């Protein structure tokens, strides 16, 4: 194994470079070292570019081959092709033991690649607490299918699970970026009834149909809240999903969730809630009051057996995430990929980046 590798590194807030750095080595008994086969750029990476933690290799989504492992790692072998959860977990704390590893309470466990520790936009990466956070990818699935279970597909399924989705539920999803599109695919796979999506970009609207949306609305040419209320005979939807982290989409979700329903949000919020009003246009008895609805937020549900379930769903279920992959590029060109990810006109959803 070489001792130097290429990596995309946050040198200082807002400054990314592709440079040579040392190949990581085993530090703890539960570590594995992966030779990265595939990584990608997430909306979270675009936020993470600005973090005040310098000299960290970027990226929290990756598929790799195990090239080294600590002596505490069982069940895995050198050469295994694995995906890792984007949120790591210790396996021992109360949250981990109670089935919520993404809420890991152990500060040593709750670290994230590309945020505080070197991530997957590199030729090699170290994964701590690996047995709790990595899963073998079956031969029948591609790297591109596998990698999505580590973050956005798990999140897409998770927002619906945390909202308590039932078969046949009417669901509205505000914003159809890669994450919102994963919610659409997940809603279809989990047995939603009517799926209404809201997205200003025509390319993303087209993909939204492919992923399972029944009705796709453009927020720039209609009052979408009233349209969704009309479509649902004034009641609103069972679950309204906010999928971008903007005030207007969150307001749309609040305005369209029916009484007894749920608002669920997976956005990374870059604003405070000062101006948020809670419209309930469909509630004529107590106007502008928000009651008897459930509001849940969701980070990415994680852990080895979570990955296993999602890989099974991709292998044996009825869900096709391939339309998300719009571009491919080598790691040395990844800075161009960051520019494309910020530019809506580039028709970029997920970029397959290979070292
Ligand atoms: Zn992500
Ligand atoms: Zn834990």
């Amino acid at each position: 194994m070489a001792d130097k590798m290429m990596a995309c590194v946050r040198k200082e807030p807002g400054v990314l470079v592709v440079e040579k750095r040392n190949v990581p080595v085993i530090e703890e008994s539960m570590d594995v070292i992966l030779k990265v086969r595939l990584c990608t750029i997430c909306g979270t990476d675009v936020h993470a570019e600005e973090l005040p933690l310098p000299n960290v290799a970027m990226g929290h989504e990756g598929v790799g081959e195990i090239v080294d492992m600590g002596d505490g790692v069982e069940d895995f072998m050198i050469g295994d092709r694995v995906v890792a959860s984007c949120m790591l977990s210790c396996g021992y704390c109360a949250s981990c033991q109670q089935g919520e590893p993404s809420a890991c309470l152990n500060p040593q466990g709750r670290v994230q690649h590309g945020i505080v520790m070197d991530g997957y936009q590199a030729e090699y990466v170290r994964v701590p607490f690996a047995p709790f956070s990595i899963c073998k990818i079956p031969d029948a699935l591609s790297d591109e299918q596998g990698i999505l279970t580590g973050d956005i597909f798990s999140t897409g399924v998770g927002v619906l699970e945390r909202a308590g989705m039932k078969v046949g539920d009417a669901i509205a999803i505000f914003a159809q970026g890669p994450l919102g599109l994963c919610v659409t695919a997940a809603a279809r796979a989990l047995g939603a009834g009517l799926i209404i999506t809201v997205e200003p970009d025509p390319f993303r609207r087209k993909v939204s149909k492919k992923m399972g949306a029944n009705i796709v609305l453009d927020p720039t040419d209609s009052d979408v809240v009233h349209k969704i209320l009309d479509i649902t005979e004034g009641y609103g939807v069972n679950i309204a999903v906010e999928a971008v982290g903007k005030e207007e989409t969150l307001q749309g979700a609040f305005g369209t969730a029916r009484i007894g329903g749920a608002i669920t949000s997976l956005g990374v919020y870059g604003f405070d809630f000062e101006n948020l009003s809670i419209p309930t246009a469909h509630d004529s008895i107590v106007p502008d009051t928000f009651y008897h609805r459930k509001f849940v937020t969701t980070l990415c549900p994680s852990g080895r057996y979570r990955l296993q379930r999602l890989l099974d769903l991709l292998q044996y279920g009825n869900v096709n995430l391939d339309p998300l992959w719009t571009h491919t590029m080598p790691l040395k060109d990844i800075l161009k990929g960051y520019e494309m990810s910020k530019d809506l006109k580039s028709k970029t959803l997920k970029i397959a980046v290979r070292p």
Side-chain angles (χ1 to χ4, degrees):
M1 203 157 85
D3 58 349
K4 294 279 178 195
M5 64 169 189
M6 193 195 297
C8 174
V9 177
R10 180 174 62 236
K11 292 308 278 184
E12 52 185 279
V15 180
L16 300 183
V17 296
V18 175
E19 65 172 23
K20 289 269 173 197
R21 56 167 43 205
N22 292 333
V23 170
V25 293
I26 298 291
E27 293 176 21
E28 305 284 344
S29 67
M30 293 294 192
D31 288 356
V32 300
I33 305 295
L34 301 181
K35 185 176 200 300
V36 177
R37 292 171 56 96
L38 178 69
C39 61
T40 182
I41 301 168
C42 177
T44 305
D45 294 319
V46 174
H47 286 284
E49 199 181 330
E50 305 296 332
L51 289 175
L53 298 162
N55 279 313
V56 174
M58 300 288 287
H60 55 270
E61 297 171 49
V63 164
E65 183 187 316
I66 299 178
V67 291
D68 200 1
M69 55 195 209
D71 51 20
V73 178
E74 296 175 353
D75 305 342
F76 292 93
M77 297 200 337
I78 300 292
D80 280 349
R81 183 175 63 123
V82 300
V83 56
S85 280
C86 67
M87 314 270 294
L88 299 176
S89 46
C90 74
Y92 299 108
C93 74
S95 288
C96 286
Q97 294 275 315
Q98 289 170 123
E100 276 225 80
S102 55
C104 180
L105 300 168
N106 180 347
Q108 301 302 311
R110 194 189 50 226
V111 293
Q112 208 177 345
H113 286 103
I115 308 291
V116 294
M117 70 173 293
D118 288 335
Y120 293 87
Q121 292 171 13
E123 290 175 273
Y124 295 89
V125 64
R126 181 176 73 91
V127 184
F129 297 104
F132 307 110
S133 299
I134 65 174
C135 188
K136 260 198 268 188
I137 301 175
D139 291 343
L141 297 179
S142 65
D143 292 343
E144 282 81 354
Q145 287 172 301
I147 198 172
L148 296 172
T149 63
D151 187 6
I152 62 172
F153 187 52
S154 183
T155 308
V157 172
V159 290
L160 299 170
E161 290 172 327
R162 282 173 64 87
M165 181 190 155
K166 295 191 186 75
V167 168
D169 272 353
I171 298 181
I173 304 155
F174 290 80
Q176 292 287 277
L179 209 42
L181 288 164
C182 273
V183 182
T184 304
R188 191 43 78 216
L190 301 182
L194 174 64
I195 300 175
I196 305 167
T197 61
V198 180
E199 168 59 45
D201 177 61
F203 171 69
R204 291 176 176 206
R205 284 204 300 273
K206 209 181 278 176
V207 181
S208 181
K209 277 260 172 188
K210 274 194 210 163
M211 304 294 270
N214 301 105
I215 299 172
V216 183
L217 300 175
D218 178 357
T220 60
D221 69 18
S222 62
D223 177 352
V224 289
V225 168
H226 284 106
K227 224 173 210 175
I228 291 170
L229 295 176
D230 282 348
I231 294 165
T232 54
E233 295 170 348
Y235 293 116
V237 291
N238 301 98
I239 299 174
V241 181
E242 188 293 306
V244 69
K246 289 191 174 154
E247 195 160 325
E248 61 195 276
T249 47
L250 187 60
Q251 243 161 24
F254 273 109
T256 50
R258 71 174 59 176
I259 186 166
I263 296 99
T264 176
S265 174
L266 46 73
V268 175
Y269 291 90
F271 66 93
D272 57 36
F273 286 89
E274 244 169 67
N275 300 315
L276 187 69
S277 68
I278 301 172
T280 53
H282 48 308
D283 182 357
S284 58
I285 305 165
V286 190
D288 296 327
T289 299
F290 178 75
Y291 67 106
H292 205 74
R293 289 167 183 83
K294 190 158 63 172
F295 178 38
V296 289
T297 61
T298 301
L299 282 172
C300 177
S302 64
R304 175 171 163 191
Y305 295 103
R306 171 77 177 181
L307 293 169
Q308 184 67 64
R309 295 165 75 92
L310 295 172
L311 290 166
D312 282 352
L313 183 55
L314 290 180
Q315 185 173 359
Y316 303 112
N318 184 20
V319 49
N320 177 15
L321 302 175
D322 293 345
L324 290 174
W325 294 102
T326 53
H327 297 79
T328 303
M329 65 176 56
L331 179 61
K332 67 177 173 55
D333 295 340
I334 194 168
L335 299 183
K336 198 174 105 206
Y338 273 86
E339 292 314 311
M340 289 161 57
S341 298
K342 291 173 201 166
D343 177 10
L344 203 62
K345 287 194 210 80
S346 69
K347 298 187 179 178
T348 303
L349 293 170
K350 291 302 270 185
I351 305 173
V353 180
R354 293 192 183 268

